[in-house]
Amino acid sequence: MKWDFNEWKTDTLNIRLYGRLWVPDINSDKFQTSTQNGDYAQFYNIVAKNNGNVTGRLEFKMQAHCDIDYSNFPDDDKNCCFRLKSVLYPHYIRYYLARGEDGLDLTKLRTNWHVRDATIKVLPDEDDRKTQMLEICLQVRRRSSTLRIELTLPMMVSSLLVVIAPFFGSFRDQINVKLFAIFIQLVSFTFLAIKAPQVGFGETVPHIYTFYVFTMSTTVVSLLLTLVISAMSRIRRKLPPAHRYTLLASALNISLCCGSEPNAEIDGTSAKDYHQDWLQIHTAINNVVSFLILVAYTIGIIVILCV
């Protein structure tokens, strides 16, 4: 379609309806089933030049095949690709990338996903090497900060309770605090299972699941050790502990400022009771074990976050 500028006094023509204008039938490579999925391709803002050049904007909606990586769930990554080609004129239509393979303009893209990379390529058709098709690939990451906070905050609070449990005082109080922490973790794990995809994660184990399992395992181990040390502290012994152990336990308890047990009342007529000395030693052992668990848990969390 050409015309003389001197005759028509214009060199451009905006076309709103292109019913009588030939446009390339660019559509999905799965054209046979695209209508069932609601896919479409439509040309807008068509402008014709007097020299015969016609430009327009192709707007399309298509379902893409995506490879999903759930390692960072709920901020999972997707690598999605879809292809465009002509069905009626595959041998006559050729594609040229004015800006190269990285020339996609994403400034006006509106999505809740963060587009990390976008490429467009001209590929030969697998069924007919003489024809061409366009392949558009997007690497995106879901942005769900609120969901991540909902999933991680309860576990962080429960792990904090386990860490500071020795500061609550007696063995009984520490055990109750750790049991409450396990209850919070079980409720949080149930909520996480509800938010997981219905088809599961396949062979991928998300980091947040590793974090949950590691936190629950650490809490259970800490609870079991406290129960064992508490049971050992209730045993009545007739022999006193070594004096150096008593001094060391006293120094540790004073330095750590946690895990104290109430002093037993001794009347003036009873014989020497060494239970308080042994209790102080067991309290020191529990404090040291709690500190080691804190160090191991911190290292484990750093490893999980860095992987």
Side-chain angles (χ1 to χ4, degrees):
M1 184 175 63
K2 296 183 180 181
W3 66 89
D4 187 4
F5 174 78
N6 296 326
E7 180 180 357
W8 297 94
K9 306 302 180 182
T10 181
D11 60 346
T12 60
L13 179 63
N14 295 324
I15 301 176
R16 295 185 177 181
L17 299 177
Y18 55 89
R20 296 185 179 182
L21 181 68
W22 180 87
V23 294
D25 61 317
I26 306 299
N27 214 313
S28 171
D29 60 338
K30 301 179 178 60
F31 180 75
Q32 301 296 333
T33 58
S34 62
T35 56
Q36 300 177 4
N37 300 326
D39 297 351
Y40 69 89
Q42 193 78 18
F43 283 94
Y44 294 94
N45 302 337
I46 299 177
V47 178
K49 298 287 186 178
N50 63 334
N51 58 1
N53 291 336
V54 180
T55 60
R57 177 174 59 88
L58 177 62
E59 180 178 311
F60 55 87
K61 174 185 175 183
M62 297 179 184
Q63 288 190 358
H65 171 73
C66 299
D67 296 327
I68 306 177
D69 183 9
Y70 289 108
S71 299
N72 296 317
F73 179 84
D75 299 331
D76 41 274
D77 298 320
K78 290 187 178 182
N79 186 10
C80 304
C81 294
F82 55 90
R83 296 178 177 179
L84 302 173
K85 71 175 185 178
S86 173
V87 178
L88 299 178
Y89 311 99
H91 294 88
Y92 298 98
I93 295 180
R94 291 292 180 266
Y95 306 96
Y96 301 94
L97 304 179
R99 300 182 180 179
E101 295 183 354
D102 299 327
L104 291 178
D105 185 8
L106 305 176
T107 55
K108 298 182 180 180
L109 182 64
R110 297 181 180 179
T111 177
N112 293 328
W113 295 74
H114 171 63
V115 181
R116 306 176 64 183
D117 189 20
T119 58
I120 180 171
K121 298 180 180 179
V122 179
L123 301 176
D125 195 341
E126 297 176 355
D127 299 329
D128 188 354
R129 307 294 294 183
K130 296 181 180 180
T131 62
Q132 294 180 343
M133 63 171 54
L134 286 176
E135 182 184 61
I136 301 176
C137 293
L138 300 174
Q139 293 182 6
V140 296
R141 170 172 290 184
R142 181 168 57 177
R143 295 179 294 190
S144 53
S145 301
T146 55
L147 180 58
R148 175 172 288 276
I149 293 175
E150 292 176 3
L151 294 176
T152 56
L153 184 60
M155 294 297 290
M156 295 299 296
V157 172
S158 64
S159 61
L160 179 62
L161 290 177
V162 176
V163 169
I164 66 175
F167 292 94
F168 283 88
S170 63
F171 288 132
R172 180 183 296 274
D173 294 336
Q174 296 181 40
I175 292 173
N176 291 333
V177 169
K178 293 178 181 180
L179 287 174
F180 179 69
I182 292 177
F183 171 75
I184 295 178
Q185 293 169 7
L186 291 176
V187 174
S188 302
F189 194 84
T190 303
F191 181 72
L192 174 63
I194 295 175
K195 294 297 182 179
Q198 295 182 355
V199 296
F201 300 103
E203 297 180 356
T204 304
V205 180
H207 295 325
I208 191 171
Y209 270 75
T210 306
F211 167 66
Y212 269 53
V213 173
F214 180 70
T215 301
M216 293 185 66
S217 301
T218 304
T219 306
V220 171
V221 170
S222 178
L223 175 62
L224 292 177
L225 291 176
T226 303
L227 286 172
V228 171
I229 297 174
S230 176
M232 294 176 61
S233 67
R234 293 194 297 268
I235 300 176
R236 294 287 178 175
R237 293 175 173 83
K238 298 181 180 180
L239 297 177
H243 185 62
R244 59 179 179 274
Y245 295 149
T246 304
L247 294 178
L248 179 61
S250 178
L252 287 174
N253 293 334
I254 294 175
S255 301
L256 298 177
C257 302
C258 58
S260 61
E261 290 287 332
N263 295 327
E265 296 182 359
I266 303 176
D267 55 19
T269 59
S270 59
K272 175 65 176 177
D273 188 2
Y274 302 106
H275 176 70
Q276 194 64 31
D277 295 335
W278 284 105
L279 182 60
Q280 189 174 17
I281 292 177
H282 287 97
T283 302
I285 294 175
N286 181 71
N287 294 337
V288 172
V289 169
S290 300
F291 178 76
L292 294 177
I293 290 177
L294 170 61
V295 173
Y297 181 75
T298 304
I299 295 175
I301 292 299
I302 294 175
V303 172
I304 293 174
L305 294 178
C306 293
V307 172

